[in-house]
């Protein structure tokens, strides 16, 4: 129970401490409102930290709510808090006690210092009063002499000015001897107005004349110094500024400076002109005339073999280096010096009103444009001499260096058109090189075709295992080498295009200054490389291939039929894959952006397919005409009325079958088989009768009256109405069956037309029967529909019978024996 009495004692001590704490706050000027604003006062009487704390209620509450152990813990906690508060109180008291002592000493010292300061202020006040009294007495004493002193001061100043004026000629001569030109000009400028104002007085007039003579001499020395130009830029700038201050015309100074600079720059241009061949213009014109025909031949070291003129004295890179290091560097130095003298130099006084920079800038622009135009003319002449397309590295590096150095001119002279003109030269040089590569590719292609023609014309001993009927007749076009020739031609052209693209790609290298410029890269890659080079070459291949179809004579002109077949396959391969591959390769290498209109791949593929179709149609026509010529001669040179009884097949029919077989082998080497209609089981044993059951007696009645042929013709025409129409010269498909069908149609149609122009006897009709049966035995297997061969051969035999004087057909068994015997 003794523990229960401890809280009241604690509350008394805490109340005492709070009172002491309140006194400390009052001493340091703290109030209770600040605390109240931060933390609201508690009205709970059991809140030990609140102002309304009631100890009795607090103890009763603890006794009711807490156990003995909790009460003991609470007591321990309070004891710790009391000790902590006592320690804080002692620390606070000690600290404040030291501060109280220090404050007391400070206040005591301040009292002593203020007393001494008051004594000094009293002394100062007395001294100020004495000074004021003394100043008043001096002012009173000098009041009468103030005006006189002012007059004397003015007279003294005037005398000093007059002394300066009288001594001015001697001073100017001295400055002239010491070459202190700036000091002489400044001295003269100070006295010039006064001398001009009082020039009516003889003395001042004499001084003015002497000064003018001296300044004229000084101006002459400055002009000489300016003309020499051998001094530093600072001295030259000072010289120009002094001349301008001496009223020297600014335009005349600009003209003299530029004239002196022009002589040095023109000597540099003359040195560059000496590096160019004297006959460069004539050689260039002659070369432009022959570039299309004599484009050279491909070599191993260069993608093309354009002819190049005789080598100039130095290569293009050395020429550009010399031009940049001599002319362009000198021009930049002239621009910098000129701008420092006349444009960027600050103008003060009277010079600021003359607007010299604007006038000087106009003269500089005209000066730079004139000399740059002559320099660009020399550069373009030298670039035109670079006609060989073997190596682009020197030209690209030269153009890069040329472009870089001209950027310095653009920085020094922002409004000049020189950088733009230089950029146009670079663009024209790149486009010209692209044109040269196009000509070289075209020349390479034509040379490759010449090699192919020579290879086709070379006789071969071996047919490469090709199964043909007859050897000598079928070997003249060398079909066994066609796939190899096509592969070689296609791969060589593709490799040549890749080599050219690699060479042209140097213009877009990352380390080339103009390669990433928007005014160059977009136009060069899309219009230059893609359109002017790649697309133009593809179109050239198609156009040149189509030209082989325009010179057809009786036998197809001088173009070998095998070349027509090979080119048609080449164009077809271009349409299916090569064009897409080449353009994709170009777009990837040159990052072509299709912002500008470009030729689509589909358009080029359509042109290639059109060329392939035209070539294949022409091949069919040429081969059909060759066989037709043999058939025509065989019909026209024979007497069909008085011929003997047939005992064998004519040799020309064997030749027709041999050539047809050879053509079939040749076409099969480049084109797929194609689709055929189903053959009948007796296709090779089909018989041709000169009469049908419906018209046998009407056509060959014993009484061969005039009305009988009329009825026969009528029946024949009715029979044709129900037959399928045959289009002889229709377009063929890209397969072997369609090609052979077209050739056989032309051949048999020619045979039919020749038969219609002849008159036959009995044995002549029988010979036609034998020939047609022999053709039917072999030709049916080459066409897509055997009925087409049957129909045409039936027409030939029927037409022969119509024109036979004594129609007596041969027995079918005899015909078969003759044809099998060969």
């Amino acid at each position: 129970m003794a523990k229960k009495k401890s809280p009241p004692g604690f509350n008394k001590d805490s109340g005492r401490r709070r009172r002491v704490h309140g006194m400390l706050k009052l001493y340091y000027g703290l109030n209770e409102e600040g605390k109240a604003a931060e933390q609201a006062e508690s009205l709970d009487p059991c809140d030990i930290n609140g102002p309304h704390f009631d100890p009795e209620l607090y103890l009763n509450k603890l006794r009711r709510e807490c156990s003995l152990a909790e009460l003991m813990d609470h007591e321990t906690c309070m004891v710790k808090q009391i000790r902590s508060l006592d320690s804080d109180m002692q620390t606070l008291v000690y600290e404040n006690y030291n501060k109280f002592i220090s404050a007391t000493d400070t206040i005591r010292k301040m009292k002593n210092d203020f007393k001494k300061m008051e004594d000094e202020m009293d002394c100062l006040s007395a001294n100020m009063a004495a000074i004021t009294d003394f100043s008043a007495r001096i002012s009173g004493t000098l009041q009468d002499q103030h005006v006189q002193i002012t007059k004397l001061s003015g007279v003294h100043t005037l005398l000093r000015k007059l002394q300066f004026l009288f001594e001015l000629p001697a001073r100017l001569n001295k400055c002239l001897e010491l070459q202190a030109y700036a000091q002489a000009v400044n001295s003269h400028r100070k006295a010039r107005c006064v001398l001009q104002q009082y020039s009516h007085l003889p003395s001042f007039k004499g001084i003015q004349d002497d000064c003018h003579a001296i300044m004229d001499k000084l101006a002459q020395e400055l002009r000489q110094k300016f003309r020499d130009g051998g001094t530093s830029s600072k001295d030259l700038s000072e010289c120009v500024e002094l001349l301008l201050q001496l009223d020297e015309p600014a335009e005349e100074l600009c003209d003299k400076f530029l004239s002196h600079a022009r002589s040095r720059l023109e000597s540099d241009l003359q040195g560059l002109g000496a590096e160019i061949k004297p006959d460069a213009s004539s050689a260039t014109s002659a070369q432009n005339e022959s570039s299309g025909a004599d484009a050279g031949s491909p070599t191993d070291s260069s993608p093309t073999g354009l002819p190049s003129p005789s080598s100039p004295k130095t290569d293009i890179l050395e020429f550009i280096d010399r031009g940049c290091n001599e002319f362009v560097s000198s021009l930049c130095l002239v621009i910098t010096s000129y701008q420092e003298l006349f444009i960027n130099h600050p103008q003060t006084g009277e010079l600021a009103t003359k607007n010299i920079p604007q006038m000087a800038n106009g003269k500089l622009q005209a000066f730079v444009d004139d000399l740059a135009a002559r320099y660009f003319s020399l550069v373009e002449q030298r670039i035109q001499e670079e006609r060989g397309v073997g190596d682009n590295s020197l030209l690209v590096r030269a153009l890069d260096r040329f472009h870089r150095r001209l950027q310095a001119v653009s920085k020094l002279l922002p409004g000049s058109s020189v950088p733009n003109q230089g950029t146009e030269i670079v663009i024209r040089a790149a486009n010209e090189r692209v044109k040269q590569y196009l000509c070289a590719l075209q020349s390479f292609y034509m040379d490759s075709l010449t090699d192919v023609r020579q290879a086709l014309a070379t006789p071969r001993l071996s047919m490469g295992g090709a199964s043909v009927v007859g050897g000598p007749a079928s070997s003249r076009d060398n079909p066994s080498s066609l796939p190899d020739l096509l592969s070689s031609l296609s791969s060589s052209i593709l490799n040549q295009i890749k080599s050219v693209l690699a060479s042209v790609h140097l213009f877009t290298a990352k380390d080339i200054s103009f390669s990433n410029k928007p005014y160059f890269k977009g136009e060069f890659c899309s219009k230059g490389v893609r359109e002017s080079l790649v697309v133009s070459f593809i179109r050239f291949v198609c156009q040149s291939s189509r030209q082989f179809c325009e010179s057809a004579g009786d036998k197809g002109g001088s173009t070998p039929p095998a070349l027509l077949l090979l080119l048609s396959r080449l164009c077809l391969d271009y349409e299916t894959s090569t064009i897409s591959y080449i353009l994709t390769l170009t777009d990837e290498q040159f990052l072509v952006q299709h912002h500008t209109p470009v030729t689509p791949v589909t358009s080029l593929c359509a042109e290639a397919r059109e060329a392939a179709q035209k070539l294949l149609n022409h091949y069919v026509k040429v081969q059909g005409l060759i066989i037709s010529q043999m058939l025509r001669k065989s019909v026209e040179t024979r007497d069909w009325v008085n011929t003997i009884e047939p005992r064998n097949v004519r040799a020309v029919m064997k030749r027709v079958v041999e050539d047809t077989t050879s053509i079939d082998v040749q076409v099969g080497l480049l084109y797929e088989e194609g689709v055929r209609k189903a053959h009948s089981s007796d296709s090779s044993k089909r018989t041709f009768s000169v009469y049908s059951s419906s018209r046998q007696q009407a056509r060959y009645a014993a009484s061969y009256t005039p009305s009988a042929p009329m009825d026969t013709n009528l029946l024949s025409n009715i029979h044709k109405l129900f037959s399928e129409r045959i289009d002889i010269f229709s377009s063929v498909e890209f397969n072997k069956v369609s090609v052979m069908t077209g050739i056989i149609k032309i051949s048999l149609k020619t045979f039919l037309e020749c038969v219609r122009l002849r008159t036959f006897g009995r044995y002549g009709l029988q010979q036609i029967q034998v020939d047609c049966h022999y053709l039917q035995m072999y030709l049916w297997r080459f066409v897509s529909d055997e009925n087409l061969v049957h129909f045409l051969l039936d027409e030939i035999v029927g037409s022969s019978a119509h024109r036979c004087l004594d129609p007596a057909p041969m027995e079918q068994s005899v015909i078969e024996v003759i044809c099998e015997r060969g």
Side-chain angles (χ1 to χ4, degrees):
M1 294 303 292
K3 295 286 184 183
K4 295 180 180 180
K5 295 181 180 180
S6 58
F10 170 75
N11 289 332
K12 291 179 181 179
D13 293 337
S14 62
R16 180 176 59 82
R17 290 190 181 90
R18 281 199 299 274
R19 286 195 300 272
V20 173
H21 212 62
M23 293 175 65
L24 289 173
K25 286 183 178 182
L26 183 61
Y27 179 81
Y28 285 106
L30 300 177
N31 50 20
E32 296 293 334
E33 286 136 17
K35 181 180 178 180
E38 295 178 358
Q39 184 177 0
E41 293 183 354
S42 177
L43 300 179
D44 187 6
C46 295
D47 185 6
I48 194 170
N49 294 322
H52 302 284
F53 176 68
D54 189 347
E56 292 298 332
L57 292 175
Y58 181 71
L59 287 174
N60 292 333
K61 181 180 178 181
L62 289 178
R63 282 195 294 269
R64 286 194 308 270
E65 296 177 356
C66 300
S67 61
L68 180 60
E70 290 176 347
L71 289 174
M72 293 179 68
D73 292 339
H74 204 74
E75 179 187 10
T76 303
C77 181
M78 285 188 176
V79 170
K80 291 181 180 180
Q81 291 179 359
I82 292 170
R83 291 176 180 173
S84 176
L85 289 175
D86 288 341
S87 175
D88 292 342
M89 178 64 71
Q90 290 177 2
T91 302
L92 184 62
V93 170
Y94 290 151
E95 291 177 354
N96 286 301
Y97 178 73
N98 293 332
K99 293 178 181 179
F100 292 153
I101 295 174
S102 176
T104 302
D105 294 340
T106 303
I107 292 171
R108 186 181 300 110
K109 185 176 180 182
M110 287 177 62
K111 288 181 179 180
N112 296 332
D113 292 340
F114 275 112
K115 184 177 180 181
K116 183 177 179 181
M117 187 179 296
E118 288 176 358
D119 295 340
E120 292 179 353
M121 290 299 294
D122 292 339
C123 180
L124 179 61
S125 178
N127 292 335
M128 290 298 295
I131 292 172
T132 302
D133 182 57
F134 187 70
S135 176
R137 284 186 291 167
I138 292 175
S139 297
T141 304
L142 299 177
Q143 183 67 33
D144 298 336
Q145 300 177 356
H146 180 69
V147 178
Q148 187 177 359
I149 292 173
T150 303
K151 291 181 179 180
L152 291 175
S153 177
V155 171
H156 181 265
T157 304
L158 180 59
L159 290 174
R160 291 183 61 186
K161 290 181 179 179
L162 291 174
Q163 183 182 6
F164 176 79
L165 290 176
F166 285 113
E167 295 177 354
L168 183 59
R171 186 188 299 270
L172 293 179
N173 283 324
K174 188 67 173 176
C175 292
L176 195 60
E177 293 176 2
L178 299 176
Q179 294 185 353
Y181 302 126
Q183 185 178 353
V185 172
N186 290 333
S187 300
H188 183 261
R189 287 182 60 196
K190 291 178 182 179
R192 184 168 51 184
C193 295
V194 178
L195 292 175
Q196 183 67 28
Q197 184 178 359
Y198 297 100
S199 60
H200 59 282
L201 298 176
S203 58
F204 286 95
K205 180 65 175 175
I207 295 173
Q208 186 180 22
D209 294 340
D210 293 342
C211 291
H212 282 172
I214 297 171
M215 296 310 294
D216 289 342
K217 185 178 180 181
L218 185 145
Q220 185 176 359
E221 292 186 5
L222 288 176
R223 293 190 198 100
Q224 184 63 35
K225 183 179 179 181
F226 177 74
R227 283 193 295 269
D228 294 341
T231 57
S232 63
S233 59
K234 181 179 179 181
D235 294 338
L236 197 61
S237 176
E238 182 182 359
C239 180
V240 171
E241 184 178 3
L242 293 177
L243 287 173
L244 292 175
Q245 291 177 2
L246 292 175
D247 296 331
E248 190 78 11
E251 293 187 10
E252 184 178 347
L253 290 177
C254 293
D255 292 339
K256 288 181 179 179
F257 182 88
L258 294 178
S259 176
H260 181 71
R262 182 185 293 274
S263 62
R264 290 182 294 175
L265 292 173
E266 284 182 346
S267 64
D268 294 338
L269 291 177
Q270 291 175 359
L272 289 177
E275 295 293 334
I276 301 176
K277 295 186 305 176
D279 56 342
S281 59
S282 61
T284 302
S285 61
Q287 191 172 10
N288 290 335
E289 294 175 358
S290 62
S291 60
D294 300 330
S297 58
T299 60
D300 296 334
S301 60
S302 63
T304 52
L306 283 177
S308 58
S310 58
S311 300
K313 296 180 180 179
T314 58
D315 59 41
I316 182 66
L317 184 58
E318 293 178 357
F319 179 85
I320 295 297
D321 274 340
R322 179 174 178 179
C324 293
N325 295 333
E326 294 180 2
F327 175 78
V328 178
S329 297
S330 300
L331 183 63
C332 291
L333 289 176
V334 170
I335 294 173
T336 304
S337 301
Y338 184 89
Q339 289 177 337
E340 290 179 356
L341 295 178
F342 300 102
I343 300 176
N344 298 332
H345 191 77
Q347 307 292 334
T348 58
E350 297 178 358
L351 299 178
T353 62
K354 296 182 179 180
N355 200 13
I356 295 176
Q358 184 176 0
M359 178 274 299
N361 188 63
K363 288 183 174 294
L364 180 62
Q365 293 279 4
F367 172 80
V368 172
D369 291 344
D370 180 33
L371 289 175
R374 295 173 56 186
Y375 172 63
F376 291 153
S377 176
L378 294 174
V379 170
E380 286 196 285
Q381 290 180 25
R382 182 61 184 83
I383 291 176
Q384 289 176 1
E385 295 180 5
E386 295 296 310
R387 303 293 296 176
V389 290
D391 186 8
N392 266 339
S393 58
L394 280 181
L395 177 62
V396 173
R397 287 168 58 194
L399 293 176
D400 176 56
R401 199 158 300 176
F402 173 74
H403 183 269
R404 287 178 187 270
R405 294 301 295 269
L406 288 183
Q407 302 311 307
V409 180
S410 66
K411 294 179 181 178
L412 293 175
L413 205 61
S416 175
S417 60
V418 171
N420 293 335
Q421 295 176 0
T423 300
E424 291 175 0
I425 290 177
V426 172
I427 294 174
R428 284 198 297 269
N431 291 333
E432 183 64 26
R433 184 48 61 98
V434 169
K435 292 180 182 178
Q436 294 174 13
Y437 275 115
L438 176 60
C439 293
L441 281 176
Q442 294 173 352
S443 173
F444 177 82
Y445 175 72
M446 299 306 296
D447 292 340
S448 299
L449 290 187
T450 302
D451 296 339
V452 171
R453 295 183 71 158
Q454 292 177 354
L456 292 174
T458 303
R460 302 288 180 177
L461 298 178
S462 174
M463 294 300 298
S467 177
V468 295
V469 178
S474 59
S475 64
R476 65 181 187 271
D477 287 334
N478 189 22
S480 62
S481 62
L482 284 180
D484 296 335
L485 288 176
L486 175 63
S487 176
S488 176
L489 177 63
S490 179
S491 62
S492 62
I493 294 174
L494 187 58
N495 292 334
Q496 202 71 10
I497 293 175
K498 291 180 179 179
S499 178
V500 167
L501 290 179
S503 299
V504 176
H505 195 263
L506 294 176
F507 284 96
T508 61
K510 293 182 179 179
D511 58 341
I512 303 302
S513 60
F514 57 82
S515 63
N516 293 320
K517 300 297 182 182
Y519 53 75
F520 177 83
K521 187 170 185 179
E523 293 290 328
F524 178 73
C525 293
S526 61
K527 293 185 178 180
V529 177
R530 190 184 192 277
E531 295 297 311
S532 299
L533 180 61
V534 177
V535 174
S536 297
F537 177 68
I538 293 173
R539 283 178 168 166
F540 171 79
V541 171
C542 298
Q543 293 172 1
S544 62
S545 299
R546 287 195 296 267
Q547 290 176 357
F548 287 104
C549 305
E550 298 174 358
S551 59
D554 295 337
K555 293 185 179 181
S558 61
T559 304
L563 181 62
L564 296 173
L565 184 66
L566 186 144
L567 289 178
S568 68
R569 185 66 204 189
L570 178 68
C571 292
L572 184 63
D573 291 341
Y574 267 58
E575 185 264 337
T576 55
S577 61
T578 307
I579 291 177
S580 177
Y581 172 75
I582 293 174
L583 291 181
T584 302
L585 179 66
T586 304
D587 294 345
E588 290 177 354
Q589 283 189 2
F590 292 87
L591 301 177
V592 176
Q593 302 294 330
H594 295 174
H595 300 309
T596 57
V598 295
T599 305
V601 178
T602 54
S603 176
L604 293 176
C605 291
E607 292 185 24
R609 188 173 186 85
E610 179 187 358
Q613 185 69 63
K614 191 172 183 180
L615 285 165
L616 195 59
N617 292 342
H618 191 61
Y619 172 80
V620 170
K621 182 179 178 181
V622 170
Q623 294 286 36
L625 289 177
I626 293 174
I627 298 177
S628 298
Q629 187 70 7
M630 292 189 297
L631 293 173
R632 181 185 296 112
K633 289 182 178 180
S634 69
V635 174
E636 294 176 351
T637 57
R638 190 178 184 93
D639 185 3
W640 295 99
V641 176
N642 301 318
T643 185
I644 62 175
E645 184 179 0
R647 290 291 180 264
N648 49 32
V649 180
R650 289 189 299 152
V652 67
M653 297 303 161
K654 298 179 181 179
R655 178 67 180 273
V656 168
V657 173
E658 292 174 358
D659 286 1
T660 304
T661 305
S662 175
I663 295 172
D664 180 75
V665 174
Q666 185 183 77
V667 176
L669 293 173
L670 297 181
Y671 283 100
E672 292 76 13
E673 181 70 21
V675 180
R676 303 175 187 268
K677 290 185 178 180
H679 299 305
S680 61
S681 59
D682 59 344
S683 297
S684 61
K685 297 183 180 298
R686 171 77 178 263
T687 60
F688 296 96
S689 176
V690 297
Y691 54 90
S692 61
S693 59
S694 62
R695 53 183 176 173
Q696 176 180 0
Q697 297 178 359
R699 185 179 294 180
Y700 301 111
S703 60
Y704 193 75
T705 61
S707 62
M710 186 179 299
D711 296 337
T712 302
N713 290 334
L714 178 63
L715 291 175
S716 177
N717 292 332
I718 293 174
H719 177 68
K720 290 180 180 179
L721 290 176
F722 293 95
S723 300
E724 184 179 357
R725 180 179 180 274
I726 300 175
D727 190 359
I728 302 299
F729 294 100
S730 61
S731 295
V732 297
E733 299 178 359
F734 295 102
N735 57 71
K736 185 178 72 171
V737 173
S738 179
V739 172
M740 296 306 301
T741 301
I743 295 173
I744 291 174
K745 283 193 300 183
I746 295 174
S747 304
L748 295 183
K749 182 66 175 177
T750 303
F751 193 12
L752 174 62
E753 296 300 325
C754 292
V755 166
R756 286 176 176 173
L757 299 176
R758 309 299 293 179
T759 302
F760 296 87
R762 174 186 298 181
Y763 298 132
L765 173 62
Q766 294 177 1
Q767 184 66 54
I768 293 295
Q769 282 185 286
V770 172
D771 293 343
C772 288
H773 184 77
Y774 182 82
L775 292 178
Q776 186 273 333
M777 290 175 59
Y778 294 100
L779 296 185
W780 65 269
R781 61 180 64 122
F782 297 120
V783 298
S784 58
D785 186 3
E786 60 180 309
N787 293 324
L788 183 144
V789 175
H790 299 329
F791 175 78
L792 289 175
L793 292 176
D794 194 14
E795 282 287 313
I796 294 171
V797 176
S799 181
S800 302
H802 278 296
R803 292 157 180 80
C804 183
L805 299 178
D806 183 15
M810 181 179 286
E811 293 294 333
Q812 183 63 29
S813 59
V814 177
I815 295 175
E816 292 177 359
V817 172
I818 294 174
C819 291
E820 290 176 358
R821 189 176 58 193

